[in-house]
Structures are given as C-alpha cells and as structure tokens.
C-alpha cells in the first residue's frame, strides 16, 4: 500500500531527477577531465623517460593509456561515493541499540505500534533502534552493508527513534511519528531518496578542502553541491507532506501528529552531537524535523522540509477532509 499518487509528487520527482542528474553529470565530467589530464601528463613523462633510454613507444599506445586512466578514475570515484554513503549509514546507526533493550513498557508500546502500522500498509515490520541522544530525532535508514541502490526488496529499513523522542512525546504522538516513518517506507521514499542524494554525495566527494574552496575544482564541485542540494530539497519536501498524510490516514489522529511536530520544533536549544552533525546532509532530509544549523536546513529551494506552519496547515486541511467525509 502506498500513499503517493499525486501529480505534484510526480512532477517533483521528475524535476529533482533532472536537477540532481545534471549535478551528477557535472561531477563525472570533472573526474573525467582530471583523470584524462593526469593520464596525458603521465604519458608525457613516461614517453620522455622511455626516449631517454632508447625506447620508442608507438603513438597509438597513448590513447589506450589515457582511456585506461580515465576509466580507473571513474571507477575510483564510484567506489569513493559508495563508501561515503555507507559511512553515512553507519554513522546514523552509531549509538543506537535495539528497541528490545529499552524498558519493557517502552519496547512493548513501540513494538506493538510498529506491528499494527506495518500491517495497515502491508509492509514487512521494520527493525527499530533507539538512539541515546536527547535531541529529538526520528528517521529511517539502511544498514551500511545493504545495497547502495536497492532493487526489489533488498535491504531492511531501520527506524531510529531518539531518547529525546521518547521523553518528549505522549504515546499517541509517538505513534504518529512512527506512522510518518512507516509511510515513508510504504511509499519507497528511502530507495528513491538514495538516488536523489547520490549526486550530492558524489559532488562533495570531489571537494578537497571542506572550508573555503582552494582550487578551481573545489569551486566547480561546490557549485554542483549547491545544485544537487536543490534537487534533494525539491524531492524531500513533497515526500514529507505525503508522509504526513500517510500518518494521518494510518492513525486517524491528525491532532497527535500536529502536536508532535510542535513539541519537536520547540524542544529547546540542544543541538546534535558532533558525529551526527558531520552527516547532516542526509539526516536532515530523512529526520521528521530538520535538526542542524547547516545549509541543508536553509530556507528556499534547498530546504529539505516544508516549514512547520506549512505542515500544520496541511494537517489541518487533512483534519477538515476527514470531518467532511464523515458527514
């Protein structure tokens, strides 16, 4: 069962693919130019060295060398990008423990809610883990050893709730948050999101200096990061509203989701720990609310989430629809 069937989301997905695809092509172009330049320089040095010892290499050999070096550069780039995504996934599961290690009451409430919600949307029950941070976080990710780009049902989603979520929310509010996460899974958002996120990770992989760009390559890669982050934002904002709709559909309780969002948005000045801030790129886009002071929480086209006001208005409209349908 999926909730995403709207024309708006289809348009957003197509637009995000176009934007992110252009950033990925740009990144591949940069790597290809760098690799080819390195291959040409290597061949010039090798030719000079071989000529010095009396060995003449046929000119037809060098294009083969250039091609080999270019292919090797692209292969390295693909591997580095994949490793970066796996490192993010691993970081998102650090400091988490299985829900079975929580208190008996918490484990029972969470487990029964997840089983019931998963049956409603006809998906396998996902694993649930508890993060030790007091920062309110709720997101779904995959294990680092799962395929980067999933096909079919490869990989098992892992829903992460932070200790801050358990402390701040009532049972009905926590159920609404879990419903939001399972709506994402039912809509296959996380598999699709990996494809949209990949160009952003790829562009960031090229940057040598994470601070001020120190070379032409860094400047170009930073521009591609900016473009790719727009694609991520366009895609993510629509899916968040769709997951909110799915949560209301599953729980039948729009008030619980609205109050959960309001509580999580106003839980104080606490900020995530350093290890999570390093991975803000993906966490902001998959967390129920953005939690980081980074570019990925910027307003406008790069924002990964609709504003709280927009989401509350959307939930209010869903509540009105439910009331109207009962008449």
């Amino acid at each position: 069962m999926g909730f995403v069937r709207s024309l708006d989301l289809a348009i957003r997905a197509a637009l995000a693919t176009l934007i992110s695809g252009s950033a990925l092509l740009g990144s591949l172009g940069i790597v290809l130019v760098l690799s080819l330049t390195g291959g040409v320089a290597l061949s010039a040095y090798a030719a000079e060295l071989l000529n010095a010892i009396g060995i003449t290499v046929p000119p037809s050999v060098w294009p083969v060398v250039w091609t080999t070096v270019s292919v090797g550069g692209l292969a390295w780039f693909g591997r580095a990008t994949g490793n970066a995504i796996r490192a993010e996934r691993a970081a998102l599961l650090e400091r988490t423990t299985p829900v079975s290690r929580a208190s008996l009451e918490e484990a029972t409430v969470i487990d029964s809610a997840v089983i019931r919600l998963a049956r409603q949307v006809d998906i396998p029950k996902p694993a649930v883990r508890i993060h030790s941070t007091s920062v309110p976080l709720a997101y779904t990710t995959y294990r680092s050893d799962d395929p980067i780009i999933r096909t079919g049902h490869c990989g098992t989603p892992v829903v992460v709730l932070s200790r801050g979520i358990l402390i701040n929310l009532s049972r009905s509010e926590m159920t609404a948050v879990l419903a939001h996460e399972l709506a994402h899974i039912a809509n296959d958002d996380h598999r699709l999101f990996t494809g949209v996120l990949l160009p952003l990770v790829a562009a960031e992989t090229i940057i040598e200096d994470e601070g001020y760009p120190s070379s032409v390559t860094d400047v170009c890669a930073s521009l591609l990061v900016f473009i790719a982050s727009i694609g991520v934002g366009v895609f993510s904002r629509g899916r968040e509203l769709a997951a909110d709709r799915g949560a209301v559909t599953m729980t039948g309780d729009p008030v619980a989701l609205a109050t959960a969002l309001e509580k999580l948005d106003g839980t104080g000045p606490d900020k995530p720990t350093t290890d999570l801030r390093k991975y803000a790129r993906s966490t902001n886009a998959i967390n129920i609310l953005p939690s980081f002071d980074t570019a990925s929480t910027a307003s406008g086209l790069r924002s990964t989430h609709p504003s709280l006001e927009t989401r509350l208005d959307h939930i209010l409209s869903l509540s009105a629809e439910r009331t109207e349908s009962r008449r």
Side-chain angles (χ1 to χ4, degrees), residues 49 68 70 96 153 160 282 285 324:
L49 183 63
T68 301
S70 298
T96 67
H153 297 288
V160 177
S282 65
E324 185 66 28

Short mmCIF file of all heavy atoms in Angstrom, two decimals, residues 49 68 70 96 153 160 282 285 324:
data_model
loop_
_atom_site.label_atom_id
_atom_site.label_comp_id
_atom_site.label_asym_id
_atom_site.label_seq_id
_atom_site.Cartn_x
_atom_site.Cartn_y
_atom_site.Cartn_z
N LEU A 49 60.82 9.60 -20.44
CA LEU A 49 61.68 8.66 -19.73
C LEU A 49 62.10 7.51 -20.64
O LEU A 49 63.28 7.11 -20.68
CB LEU A 49 60.95 8.13 -18.49
CG LEU A 49 61.75 7.19 -17.58
CD1 LEU A 49 62.95 7.91 -16.98
CD2 LEU A 49 60.86 6.63 -16.47
N THR A 68 42.53 4.10 -20.22
CA THR A 68 42.65 3.26 -19.02
C THR A 68 42.66 4.10 -17.75
O THR A 68 41.98 3.79 -16.77
CB THR A 68 43.92 2.41 -19.09
OG1 THR A 68 43.89 1.59 -20.26
CG2 THR A 68 44.06 1.53 -17.86
N SER A 70 41.46 7.12 -17.40
CA SER A 70 40.14 7.76 -17.23
C SER A 70 39.13 6.79 -16.64
O SER A 70 38.36 7.15 -15.73
CB SER A 70 39.65 8.29 -18.58
OG SER A 70 40.52 9.28 -19.10
N THR A 96 23.14 3.60 18.68
CA THR A 96 21.77 3.09 18.73
C THR A 96 21.78 1.67 19.27
O THR A 96 22.78 0.94 19.11
CB THR A 96 21.09 3.10 17.35
OG1 THR A 96 21.75 2.15 16.48
CG2 THR A 96 21.16 4.48 16.72
N HIS A 153 13.23 -5.87 -2.97
CA HIS A 153 13.14 -5.72 -1.52
C HIS A 153 14.47 -6.00 -0.85
O HIS A 153 14.52 -6.48 0.28
CB HIS A 153 12.06 -6.67 -0.97
CG HIS A 153 10.68 -6.37 -1.48
ND1 HIS A 153 9.96 -5.27 -1.07
CD2 HIS A 153 9.91 -7.01 -2.40
CE1 HIS A 153 8.79 -5.25 -1.69
NE2 HIS A 153 8.73 -6.29 -2.50
N VAL A 160 14.79 4.68 13.43
CA VAL A 160 15.53 5.13 14.60
C VAL A 160 14.72 6.19 15.33
O VAL A 160 14.30 7.18 14.74
CB VAL A 160 16.91 5.69 14.22
CG1 VAL A 160 17.64 6.23 15.45
CG2 VAL A 160 17.76 4.63 13.53
N SER A 282 22.29 13.96 4.98
CA SER A 282 21.20 13.01 4.80
C SER A 282 20.24 13.01 5.97
O SER A 282 19.05 12.83 5.81
CB SER A 282 21.76 11.59 4.61
OG SER A 282 22.41 11.17 5.78
N ALA A 285 17.31 15.41 5.74
CA ALA A 285 16.30 15.08 4.74
C ALA A 285 15.43 13.91 5.17
O ALA A 285 14.31 13.76 4.68
CB ALA A 285 16.96 14.78 3.41
N GLU A 324 -15.32 16.30 6.94
CA GLU A 324 -16.29 16.43 5.84
C GLU A 324 -16.73 15.06 5.35
O GLU A 324 -17.91 14.86 5.03
CB GLU A 324 -15.65 17.23 4.71
CG GLU A 324 -16.60 17.55 3.55
CD GLU A 324 -17.72 18.47 3.97
OE1 GLU A 324 -17.52 19.27 4.91
OE2 GLU A 324 -18.80 18.42 3.33
#
